[in-house]
Amino acid sequence: MCKASETEVCGATGDARPDTPPAACGNGASAPGEVCFDTPQVIDTNGAAFTITDARFAHADADEQLDLVWVDGAQFYFHLQVGGEISGASINGPSANVRKLAPVQVSSNRVGLIAAGSDIGAWVYDAPTGGWGTGGSLLQPTAFGPANSLALGRVSGPDAIDAVVRYAGQIVVASFNISATPQPRGQAVQIPMGESIAVGPVTSDDLDDIVYANAPGAMVIHGQVMSANGSFSTRTPTIIGAASAVALADMNGDGHLDLVYIDSAAGRLGVAIGASNGDFANPRTNEIIGIRPSTLEVADIDGDGRPDVLTTTNESTQLRIARNTGDGTLEVLAPIQIGVLGDIVRADSDYDGDGAKDVIVVSTSERKIAILTSNP
């Protein structure tokens, strides 16, 4: 079981798989099943012109350490990593009408960002010029309005790198590589109102599929090689329960992606087991007691090789972790206090290089960002 010191946060209260011998957070010898974080670092961004819309770890300067990058719909902002810690002081980046970010590996040791809003493009730090800019001309789908969600995948063909962007009432797919101009690849897919999207190969055809959340439930749009005019072949979406946010991961280790989703109104977290033909079984749900989750992220947070689920809520300052037991069912751990309301949670990067995923929580209303550094 995790045993926190005075300066550490331990998320494994009530751990059903205690360590033998007992190990503490920060001793460098965590066992599978531990969930350990340092005390959250909270960055106050009240100087932002607008509400924070996303935050990620990427390279914002010439060194090899990942930095914090966030946007507010009008500009990039950087918090550089110095001496193993993220600086609390921000540096103004270029102006850009982008709202959502996704990290992308641009070389063996460099991470850039694909950003979407009224503009869609790849943004990277260019060491020769010493500046942050696009890796090619921006695609400007100005008719689509603000971006609500962004995911990366290969939905238009096996050789494409696609940015799948969720706008109000439609999904836009832009295909590009980091060094070339992004090109639109396909007509906008008209969909009901919704916010969250996920991309992954839920079928066995080597193409990624699009899953999105809306009020009636989670919809699946199966990936399809685009025709000569760039349009998707039409397939009937699949409805899976009620969903306000979605993610894809292999939750039971059978080699097929499963659907993870939250039903915010009911305060529930669901897992629907996937099959190779893209179908999903009836959802297995866990009630998130005490909160109505507003966002989710899937990542192996306890080091046992299985994806876990993280949720936050904009109604309290709690991070909830649901640990994967291995068969698609989840064990909801005691809440971790993070000091900010949780509108967005990210856990896809290891910014300090210790081999464990670190967590970003964004509070849009408070204009604050909490960083939880994993501490094995």
Side-chain angles (χ1 to χ4, degrees):
M1 179 182 294
C2 254
K3 182 179 179 182
S5 72
E6 293 180 356
T7 61
E8 295 169 334
V9 174
C10 230
T13 302
D15 192 345
R17 289 171 287 175
D19 302 332
T20 304
C25 294
N27 70 346
S30 63
E34 278 191 348
V35 180
C36 296
F37 297 102
D38 282 328
T39 301
Q41 176 187 1
V42 177
I43 296 174
D44 193 331
T45 68
N46 279 327
F50 303 101
T51 299
I52 306 171
T53 56
D54 210 352
R56 298 282 193 170
F57 291 121
H59 288 105
D61 60 5
D63 65 31
E64 295 188 1
Q65 296 179 315
L66 289 173
D67 309 297
L68 178 68
V69 182
W70 58 274
V71 290
D72 63 2
Q75 190 169 352
F76 283 93
Y77 300 86
F78 309 130
H79 291 255
L80 301 182
Q81 184 177 168
V82 179
E85 296 184 355
I86 296 295
S87 170
S90 67
I91 300 172
N92 289 352
S95 298
N97 191 344
V98 296
R99 295 171 56 87
K100 294 299 174 184
L101 305 172
V104 60
Q105 197 81 32
V106 298
S107 67
S108 60
N109 62 348
R110 306 298 291 173
V111 176
L113 293 167
I114 290 178
S118 294
D119 303 329
I120 302 175
W123 294 75
V124 297
Y125 179 82
D126 183 51
T129 63
W132 177 268
T134 60
S137 300
L138 289 173
L139 174 67
Q140 297 180 313
T142 54
F144 302 134
N148 295 326
S149 187
L150 165 66
L152 304 183
R154 300 178 185 273
V155 301
S156 64
D159 299 324
I161 300 175
D162 299 313
V164 182
V165 187
R166 170 75 176 88
Y167 293 95
Q170 56 195 321
I171 290 174
V172 175
V173 178
S175 181
F176 56 93
N177 59 47
I178 300 305
S179 61
T181 303
Q183 299 292 333
R185 288 284 298 269
Q187 300 168 348
V189 179
Q190 299 296 321
I191 62 175
M193 292 301 293
E195 294 294 329
S196 175
I197 58 174
V199 174
V202 301
T203 60
S204 57
D205 61 3
D206 297 326
L207 291 177
D208 287 345
D209 307 293
I210 304 168
V211 179
Y212 66 91
N214 62 17
M219 304 284 195
V220 180
I221 302 174
H222 293 295
Q224 175 70 38
V225 175
M226 291 188 180
S227 62
N229 66 359
S231 61
F232 278 109
S233 294
T234 302
R235 296 190 183 183
T236 302
T238 302
I239 301 177
I240 306 290
S244 50
V246 291
L248 291 168
D250 183 2
M251 301 297 289
N252 63 349
D254 65 355
H256 306 307
L257 288 183
D258 308 308
L259 177 65
V260 184
Y261 66 92
I262 53 174
D263 178 356
S264 182
R268 291 185 180 275
L269 170 66
V271 177
I273 301 301
S276 61
N277 62 357
D279 290 336
F280 293 100
N282 291 331
R284 306 175 183 181
T285 59
N286 280 34
E287 185 172 357
I288 306 299
I289 299 173
I291 70 169
R292 292 187 297 175
S294 55
T295 184
L296 86 160
E297 178 83 321
V298 177
D300 178 13
I301 208 69
D302 62 0
D304 65 359
R306 299 189 292 251
D308 308 299
V309 182
L310 297 83
T311 64
T312 58
T313 175
N314 54 19
E315 298 177 346
S316 73
T317 59
Q318 295 182 4
L319 169 69
R320 301 300 296 267
I321 295 175
R323 188 166 52 200
N324 188 348
T325 62
D327 62 355
T329 58
L330 299 168
E331 174 194 3
V332 181
L333 304 181
I336 298 173
Q337 295 298 325
I338 54 178
V340 301
L341 301 176
D343 295 287
I344 301 169
V345 61
R346 307 294 193 194
D348 52 18
S349 299
D350 170 22
Y351 94 85
D352 58 356
D354 66 357
K357 298 295 185 185
D358 303 304
V359 178
I360 298 172
V361 179
V362 175
S363 173
T364 59
S365 60
E366 300 172 299
R367 296 183 178 180
K368 293 180 179 179
I369 301 171
I371 299 174
L372 286 81
T373 305
S374 294
N375 190 12

